Amino acid sequence: MTDRTLMIIKPDAVSHNHVGEILKRVEENGFKIVELQMMKLTRAQAAEFYAIHKGKPFYGGLMDFMTSGPTIPLVLEKANAVALLREVVGATNPTVAEEGSIRKAFGTSVQRNAVHASDSPENAAIEVAFFFGNAAQN
Ligand code: UDP
Ligand code: MG
């Protein structure tokens, strides 16, 4: 199976109508969209998804933001998908993200940075299963 990674189009990008442009960039970079849904996260879901950041100063604000409106989790397939998507997405802080990256184009703050991308193959498998179940890994 080709490598898979999880992306989330975050509430800021959905509310600002950047979904089409973000999906276009994903496809133009050679990723195959193999799963996609729109959903508003509950606080419990956001807390579980970002559990690794619990206790950090930005955690409460991140929960508020991630539950503020619909998100679009999607599963992307490509050789070396995890590392390549992190490159296409860019640095966490949009102001220092690389020119041409999705966060540079659509992020407006370190919190409201338009998209999530899994940071390792191990976390990608966990995050894909979180939204789409184990069937999405077959
Ligand atoms: N975040 C934030 N303030 C910070 C750092 C991160 O609000 O100082 C948010 C931001 O939305 C980021 C998410 O928390 O995407 C997860 O942080 P992480 O360091 O894992 O960045 P990422 O892996 O998304 O680049
Ligand atoms: Mg991260």
Side-chain angles (χ1 to χ4, degrees):
M1 186 188 82
T2 316
D3 302 329
R4 289 181 169 189
T5 192
L6 183 95
M7 183 175 196
I8 305 174
I9 305 178
K10 294 184 177 181
D12 57 331
V14 174
S15 69
H16 290 127
N17 302 328
H18 295 317
V19 173
E21 185 60 34
I22 289 170
L23 293 180
K24 181 166 175 268
R25 286 171 180 237
V26 163
E27 291 190 324
E28 281 177 352
N29 278 280
F31 294 90
K32 186 92 193 155
I33 299 169
V34 296
E35 299 277 356
L36 180 150
Q37 63 176 313
M38 178 175 270
M39 61 186 291
K40 193 163 185 286
L41 297 184
T42 65
R43 208 158 174 99
Q45 286 172 319
E48 185 181 343
F49 186 79
Y50 279 120
I52 193 166
H53 294 303
K54 195 169 182 198
K56 293 184 185 170
F58 62 83
Y59 184 73
L62 179 60
M63 295 300 97
D64 293 341
F65 165 53
M66 288 301 293
T67 58
S68 66
T71 67
I72 302 178
L74 55 155
V75 179
L76 302 176
E77 198 173 83
K78 182 178 167 66
N80 200 20
V82 175
L84 286 177
L85 186 66
R86 292 288 292 196
E87 280 181 27
V88 170
V89 161
T92 306
N93 186 343
T95 61
V96 300
E98 298 69 16
E99 284 301 329
S101 66
I102 289 174
R103 282 170 166 171
K104 183 73 171 186
F106 304 115
T108 54
S109 73
V110 65
Q111 176 190 82
R112 303 172 75 82
N113 57 6
V115 292
H116 167 84
S118 304
D119 65 3
S120 68
E122 296 72 24
N123 284 336
I126 292 167
E127 293 177 355
V128 166
F130 180 85
F131 286 107
F132 297 99
N134 289 316
Q137 292 173 50
N138 296 330

